[in-house]
Amino acid sequence: MASNSPPFPSNNPHYLSLLLFLLTSLSLLPTSTSAPLTSLCNRPLPLPSATLPSPSFPSHFFTISSGSFSGGNPLFSLSPPSSRPNSFSFLTKSSFHTNTPGLIRLVGTLILRGTHPASTNRSLLHLHRVRPRLPLRPRYAAVSFDLDGFWSEPDSLLCMHGPGIILSNRGNAIHSNALLKLNFSKTSTLTSPFVTGTLESSDEPVNPNHFDPVSLVSFAERNYEYTKTSNAKSVCTDLSIKEESRGLGGEFSCEQLRGLLEGSFQLQYGRDCLNGHCDPVRGALGFDQDYMFSNQVDCSDDGKVHMYLVFTNESRSMSRSFMIGEKGLVVEGFWDGERNRLCLVGCDVVTSEEGSRKNLSINECSFGLSFWFPSVLSIKSRSVAVGRIWEGKKESKTGNFSMIPFGTTANYMSNLAKLKYKYTKVEVVRGFCAKVDHGKKGKGDFPDGRSFRDMRFRFDIKDKEGKGFSGIASPISLGDNFYAALDLADNATQLDSDNGYLNISYKLEYNLGQGSKKQMKISAEGIYNPKSGALCLIGCQYIGSSDVARQARVNDSMDCEIFVNMQFGSLHGKPTEHVKGTIRSLRAKSDPLFFDSVEISSRGIYYEQAAESIWRMDVEITMVLISLTFTCLFLGLQLYHLKRNPDLLPSISILMLVILVLGNMIPLVLNFDALFVMRRSKQNILVWSGGWLEVNEVVIRVLTMVNFLLLLRLLQVAWTARSADVSKTGLWVHEKKTIWICLPLYLFGAFIAWLVHTMNKSGRHTLWEDLSSYAGLILDGFLLPQVIFNVFLNLKGKALARSFYIGFTLVRALPHVYDAYRSRHYVPFVKSSYIYASPSEDIYSLAWDIAVPLGVLILSVVVFLQQRFGGSFFLPLSMRRSGEYEMVPVSSSS
């Protein structure tokens, strides 16, 4: 059964676990009896004969790998998203001959996959929203029915009944019974290519598990009879192809043919079209859709082909699953190996609706089609698969059939065997490029043009009104090589001439407005100078039968008066200098095809820089782990030091410990908040990183928690020791004086941070982010309260272990030293990728990277001298205070 299973969507992992649950639960279902099937199908359930399974109709004969359905409320949404239409599959487990001639006993499983309704008051599908703060995404579901029944060969009727499993809102399995009826012919032809039927709930309407009827339709996959092959041969007789076409590479291969026909085909309406309606097809089909999909393709070993074509206005659809578009054609024909083309005849598919049910029927069979695969691409012909469609009953005034050409919009990264690219605009672009690039070597090293990752980039554009849109530029070929076939380690690619220019072709796409589905698509080719990073292109856009094309009165369907000029940044440049350029029209302003020039800017890094950034992030994660580990060690040594010298506990500044505790508590709380709020978005990162990032996050949070608990313990023992002895109440007076000195300093610093934030016009950081960075600066100077407290106390004593204050000083100083190194050796692509020495945790710049290490080092030296010579040793003798308290050693037993 595994070989006949339909391909499940790989981009939704919940399907696999859900279907696994459904299939494993089938063994728990009650066995269906013959009584309900006898009454529902209006005939007794046939008993299997004692012979072997049916050799004429094996189980896979009735298998449906992909179909479409509608209805089924409240199980499924009546308006599923176009990106994921409702689909079903039927898997037959066994088929047996029966004692009744012409009846086959069947056992199988029907699986429906679709979208839950957005809301429902039915108990069956009440949506439980775990995270109301997050946007609600469509919830996908699968329902499985274990069916038993028969197929009647004379009636072409398949009738089966059985229980199904539906998941409730609590995740429990709910049993529901259903009746499946399919019009399943022994053979399918061009005029009867579909399998249609219904799935109806056999539960009472008052039952909460009852659902509305489900309408099923699929393309017949087995025992197809070719009846119009002779017609297909005749329709291609008068069709002449001027361009050279590629073959399938030896023997006929259906898999290779499917690959070449994959994706969408754009219909290129001619000059006799008006607002998208063209005479050759308007009379029979009446469609004006822009795109066509070869939705289902099946072949025979001798080269005969039949397929289902769908017409839609969506350029992207799930063509791997059965689709019902606005219009459709069923076609059959053969592969002409001599002329390397596919000749087909087609019938119009009419879609009618009865409520939520969609019915497909065949109308006229008067259309001819042909596909072929050009061996040479150019700026005006970028399709790896092209063809013509025409209506055979109508002829133009010249006596020839009016045809509509079409070509695939798929990428060029596959099916490149025997494919070449012909440059036709290189000489034209040289004249324009000479004005902006003089062939001189630029500053730094630039991409050599061989890497697809480096030459492909996303960009933002701005028009003269300042409106911003987004787009993408993808290289197609470099010299005589396509990027998909270009060996990056091969130096065989020849330069275009002695001056070092490379011929290159591109595809550019960008939206024509925020949220707009309209796109500007430009096919471009030109030259690239790897010495200076200058890219000059002449572009063409398809204008077809648009009203603007009519006004311009051009004879060509392509406008090739577009100049694209771009400048790549150096390999070690800043992300803001990645790519800059313009796209402008070469036509006069009075020309209807003229458009205002737009500016291109791209923020990005090259592949080598990305690899370095990933390596840097790995190093920074290691540095964070080492830093947290040593911090735990330093805290443990401090607690051990105080256990051996408990008399020194009261001389530790409580304010210093509070600052350290808050400094570890705030990021800990924020991290846990991010754990719950951003969990869904982080799952995408974890899939990419294989889970290693999640492991590091857990370890970092555990170590941060251990640090926090150790600091909390240190604060608790210091507070308890000072509060327990009434004779040391004067220490609290000195602590208050320390607070009165430090607090105004901290508030003044916060005011300065707020002032700098308001004066910063770039607005890259929020006020909270700037204040958070300033809090890191306070944490850097954690020893300041201890130094001031020691001045008031004026005692000699090693209250702080050297490992504690020297170790913490190094932990706070090293990120600034590392940031100074990082800013000179790594490209600051996205500062949010900075894990160690993150700008959200401290203030980092060249000045602060020098001032902070010097400052914390000075504080550490002062503490060392204070514990050796007294807290006020650096003050004049007249200002020094003698120790007010005598530290009496306390035995550990007491």
Side-chain angles (χ1 to χ4, degrees):
M1 293 300 298
S3 61
N4 295 327
S5 300
F8 300 113
S10 59
N11 57 351
N12 194 339
H14 300 290
Y15 266 132
L16 299 179
S17 58
L18 184 58
L19 292 179
L20 180 62
F21 168 78
L22 294 174
L23 294 176
T24 54
S25 302
L26 289 175
S27 59
L28 302 177
L29 294 175
T31 305
S32 61
T33 61
S34 60
L37 193 62
T38 299
S39 59
L40 293 173
C41 292
N42 299 321
R43 68 176 65 199
L45 182 68
L47 297 176
S49 62
T51 60
L52 295 175
S54 172
S56 303
F57 302 100
S59 58
H60 66 80
F61 175 83
F62 302 97
T63 295
I64 300 175
S65 60
S66 178
S68 177
F69 74 87
S70 58
N73 186 53
L75 293 181
F76 300 99
S77 172
L78 299 181
S79 301
S82 59
S83 60
R84 191 181 296 276
N86 293 340
S87 63
F88 79 91
S89 59
F90 179 65
L91 313 176
T92 47
K93 298 178 180 179
S94 59
S95 61
F96 298 92
H97 278 301
T98 65
N99 295 327
T100 304
L103 286 182
I104 303 296
R105 178 74 176 268
L106 297 176
V107 177
T109 301
L110 178 71
I111 301 176
L112 306 176
R113 308 174 200 87
T115 307
H116 276 305
S119 62
T120 176
N121 56 0
R122 303 292 289 268
S123 61
L124 183 65
L125 292 173
H126 176 68
L127 292 180
H128 178 63
R129 301 185 183 183
V130 180
R131 303 181 182 89
R133 293 178 295 175
L134 298 176
L136 181 64
R137 295 184 178 182
R139 182 184 174 190
Y140 303 107
V143 179
S144 175
F145 291 91
D146 189 31
L147 304 173
D148 188 1
F150 65 86
W151 173 69
S152 173
E153 181 179 355
D155 301 332
S156 299
L157 173 66
L158 185 148
C159 186
M160 304 179 74
H161 180 268
I165 296 178
I166 305 169
L167 291 183
S168 68
N169 60 326
R170 296 182 179 180
N172 301 325
I174 297 178
H175 300 289
S176 180
N177 297 291
L179 175 69
L180 173 66
K181 289 185 177 181
L182 293 178
N183 296 317
F184 205 107
S185 301
K186 179 180 178 180
T187 58
S188 59
T189 63
L190 188 64
T191 56
S192 59
F194 300 112
V195 175
T196 59
T198 58
L199 179 73
E200 299 179 357
S201 174
S202 55
D203 296 321
E204 295 295 331
V206 294
N207 193 315
N209 300 334
H210 178 84
F211 56 87
D212 294 342
V214 177
S215 176
L216 307 171
V217 60
S218 71
F219 195 62
E221 302 178 19
R222 304 288 185 272
N223 284 30
Y224 183 86
E225 285 189 1
Y226 292 90
T227 59
K228 302 289 185 179
T229 306
S230 57
N231 295 10
K233 293 181 180 180
S234 61
V235 297
C236 283
T237 302
D238 298 329
L239 180 64
S240 60
I241 302 176
K242 298 180 180 179
E243 54 193 342
E244 182 181 353
S245 177
R246 291 180 294 156
L248 296 181
E251 297 182 357
F252 176 79
S253 171
C254 193
E255 289 298 323
Q256 186 178 359
L257 183 63
R258 285 195 187 101
L260 290 168
L261 296 177
E262 188 176 1
S264 61
F265 291 82
Q266 184 174 16
L267 298 173
Q268 302 169 3
Y269 296 114
R271 283 291 176 270
D272 56 343
C273 300
L274 180 61
N275 296 327
H277 293 275
C278 299
D279 288 335
V281 293
R282 184 173 51 189
L285 292 180
F287 67 77
D288 57 357
Q289 286 71 32
D290 294 325
Y291 299 97
M292 177 182 71
F293 288 86
S294 57
N295 187 239
Q296 302 288 321
V297 180
D298 290 298
C299 318
S300 62
D301 295 335
D302 58 353
K304 295 179 180 179
V305 181
H306 74 284
M307 68 177 88
Y308 172 52
L309 302 175
V310 179
F311 296 84
T312 177
N313 285 320
E314 297 289 336
S315 61
R316 297 179 181 179
S317 298
M318 295 186 63
S319 57
R320 291 183 179 273
S321 59
F322 184 80
M323 295 168 39
I324 298 180
E326 290 89 346
K327 292 294 179 180
L329 286 178
V330 287
V331 296
E332 74 169 47
F334 71 100
W335 171 255
D336 185 353
E338 295 182 1
R339 300 184 180 181
N340 293 328
R341 61 183 179 180
L342 189 62
C343 297
L344 304 163
V345 291
C347 300
D348 177 21
V349 178
V350 179
T351 304
S352 60
E353 296 187 8
E354 297 179 6
S356 61
R357 179 177 177 178
K358 292 185 177 181
N359 298 319
L360 300 183
S361 59
I362 302 301
N363 195 7
E364 288 191 67
C365 297
S366 57
F367 287 88
L369 292 93
S370 181
F371 291 83
W372 64 91
F373 313 106
S375 59
V376 179
L377 302 185
S378 65
I379 191 173
K380 291 187 177 182
S381 178
R382 291 286 182 86
S383 299
V384 295
V386 298
R388 300 288 187 273
I389 179 174
W390 63 92
E391 199 261 323
K393 289 187 177 182
K394 286 193 175 183
E395 296 183 359
S396 64
K397 295 179 181 180
T398 60
N400 299 321
F401 292 119
S402 298
M403 300 181 180
I404 297 178
F406 54 81
T408 181
T409 60
N411 60 46
Y412 312 92
M413 299 299 103
S414 60
N415 306 319
L416 298 177
K418 300 181 181 180
L419 190 61
K420 298 180 181 180
Y421 189 92
K422 182 179 180 181
Y423 297 91
T424 59
K425 300 291 184 179
V426 172
E427 296 301 325
V428 178
V429 79
R430 288 185 186 278
F432 293 100
C433 194
K435 301 177 182 179
V436 295
D437 178 53
H438 303 285
K440 297 181 180 180
K441 180 175 176 57
K443 296 182 179 180
D445 297 326
F446 299 89
D448 60 4
R450 303 175 191 271
S451 172
F452 175 81
R453 297 185 183 96
D454 288 344
M455 302 304 290
R456 180 179 183 268
F457 59 91
R458 296 184 179 274
F459 58 84
D460 297 323
I461 63 176
K462 285 187 178 181
D463 56 18
K464 66 176 184 178
E465 297 179 357
K467 296 180 180 180
F469 318 119
S470 60
I472 185 171
S474 301
I476 306 301
S477 63
L478 178 70
D480 296 330
N481 298 275
F482 287 89
Y483 271 91
L486 184 62
D487 184 4
L488 301 182
D490 185 15
N491 295 323
T493 303
Q494 299 294 324
L495 297 179
D496 179 62
S497 61
D498 296 336
N499 55 19
Y501 286 109
L502 292 172
N503 291 344
I504 194 169
S505 62
Y506 260 88
K507 178 179 67 174
L508 292 89
E509 298 178 333
Y510 60 89
N511 296 325
L512 295 177
Q514 291 291 349
S516 173
K517 293 185 177 180
K518 294 183 178 180
Q519 281 189 329
M520 180 81 158
K521 297 183 179 181
I522 299 177
S523 301
E525 67 179 39
I527 54 178
Y528 171 69
N529 185 359
K531 296 180 180 179
S532 63
L535 177 66
C536 300
L537 305 169
I538 287 292
C540 297
Q541 66 165 328
Y542 174 74
I543 55 177
S545 58
S546 63
D547 294 335
V548 176
R550 288 177 176 272
Q551 296 175 14
R553 296 182 180 180
V554 293
N555 296 323
D556 200 348
S557 62
M558 305 287 288
D559 172 23
C560 293
E561 298 294 324
I562 301 173
F563 179 62
V564 181
N565 172 39
M566 289 180 282
Q567 176 63 51
F568 283 83
S570 66
L571 291 175
H572 304 287
K574 298 180 179 179
T576 55
E577 301 173 351
H578 185 55
V579 179
K580 292 184 178 181
T582 57
I583 301 177
R584 62 186 179 90
S585 174
L586 298 177
R587 296 181 178 272
K589 289 186 177 182
S590 58
D591 196 303
L593 295 178
F594 174 83
F595 60 89
D596 295 324
S597 62
V598 293
E599 296 181 358
I600 294 178
S601 62
S602 174
R603 288 180 55 87
I605 55 177
Y606 295 111
Y607 179 73
E608 182 180 351
Q609 294 173 321
E612 291 179 355
S613 296
I614 294 174
W615 181 85
R616 173 188 56 77
M617 292 173 66
D618 291 337
V619 172
E620 291 184 4
I621 290 175
T622 304
M623 294 173 72
V624 170
L625 294 174
I626 294 174
S627 176
L628 290 173
T629 302
F630 273 100
T631 303
C632 293
L633 178 63
F634 299 148
L635 286 171
L637 292 175
Q638 175 65 24
L639 289 171
Y640 178 73
H641 171 72
L642 293 176
K643 184 177 181 181
R644 296 182 58 188
N645 304 278
D647 54 307
L648 299 175
L649 275 170
S651 58
I652 297 179
S653 172
I654 299 298
L655 179 59
M656 178 193 71
L657 296 180
V658 169
I659 290 174
L660 290 174
V661 169
L662 292 177
N664 282 267
M665 182 185 71
I666 293 176
L668 191 65
V669 172
L670 293 179
N671 281 337
F672 271 101
D673 180 69
L675 174 65
F676 293 102
V677 176
M678 300 300 293
R679 186 174 183 87
R680 177 177 296 183
S681 62
K682 286 190 176 185
Q683 286 178 350
N684 298 331
I685 302 175
L686 300 181
V687 171
W688 168 77
S689 62
W692 181 244
L693 181 60
E694 185 179 36
V695 173
N696 288 324
E697 279 195 3
V698 172
V699 174
I700 290 174
R701 284 174 181 154
V702 169
L703 289 176
T704 305
M705 176 64 76
V706 172
N707 278 331
F708 173 72
L709 294 177
L710 290 175
L711 283 169
L712 207 59
R713 172 60 179 168
L714 183 58
L715 175 62
Q716 184 258 333
V717 297
W719 189 292
T720 302
R722 185 180 297 184
S723 302
D725 195 344
V726 181
S727 63
K728 297 182 176 60
T729 54
L731 292 173
W732 288 107
V733 176
H734 297 320
E735 191 71 49
K736 290 180 181 179
K737 293 179 181 179
T738 303
I739 294 175
W740 281 110
I741 293 176
C742 293
L743 188 58
L745 290 176
Y746 296 152
L747 292 178
F748 179 75
F751 172 75
I752 296 298
W754 171 81
L755 193 62
V756 172
H757 172 79
T758 56
M759 295 176 62
N760 187 7
K761 297 182 179 179
S762 61
R764 294 181 180 178
H765 303 286
T766 63
L767 178 60
W768 171 255
E769 291 174 339
D770 288 339
L771 292 178
S772 178
S773 300
Y774 170 69
L777 185 62
I778 294 177
L779 196 58
D780 290 335
F782 73 99
L783 286 176
L784 179 61
Q786 184 67 47
V787 169
I788 298 176
F789 184 73
N790 287 343
V791 171
F792 290 117
L793 196 60
N794 194 23
L795 284 179
K796 298 178 183 179
K798 298 180 180 179
L800 301 180
R802 292 181 182 177
S803 59
F804 174 77
Y805 66 84
I806 294 178
F808 264 71
T809 297
L810 293 176
V811 168
R812 300 304 305 178
L814 283 178
H816 290 272
V817 177
Y818 171 75
D819 181 71
Y821 170 81
R822 179 176 59 189
S823 62
R824 293 180 60 87
H825 292 82
Y826 293 104
V827 178
F829 176 47
V830 181
K831 290 192 175 182
S832 60
S833 68
Y834 290 170
I835 300 173
Y836 185 72
S838 172
S840 63
E841 298 176 354
D842 209 334
I843 300 178
Y844 292 98
S845 66
L846 181 59
W848 287 108
D849 289 342
I850 297 174
V852 170
L854 289 178
V856 297
L857 181 61
I858 292 173
L859 289 175
S860 180
V861 172
V862 171
V863 170
F864 171 77
L865 296 176
Q866 283 180 328
Q867 294 189 155
R868 185 164 186 172
F869 301 107
S872 57
F873 76 95
F874 54 87
L875 296 178
L877 292 175
S878 58
M879 298 180 62
R880 295 184 188 180
R881 301 182 52 173
S882 59
E884 299 181 16
Y885 306 96
E886 182 180 356
M887 296 299 176
V888 180
V890 180
S891 62
S892 60
S893 62
S894 61

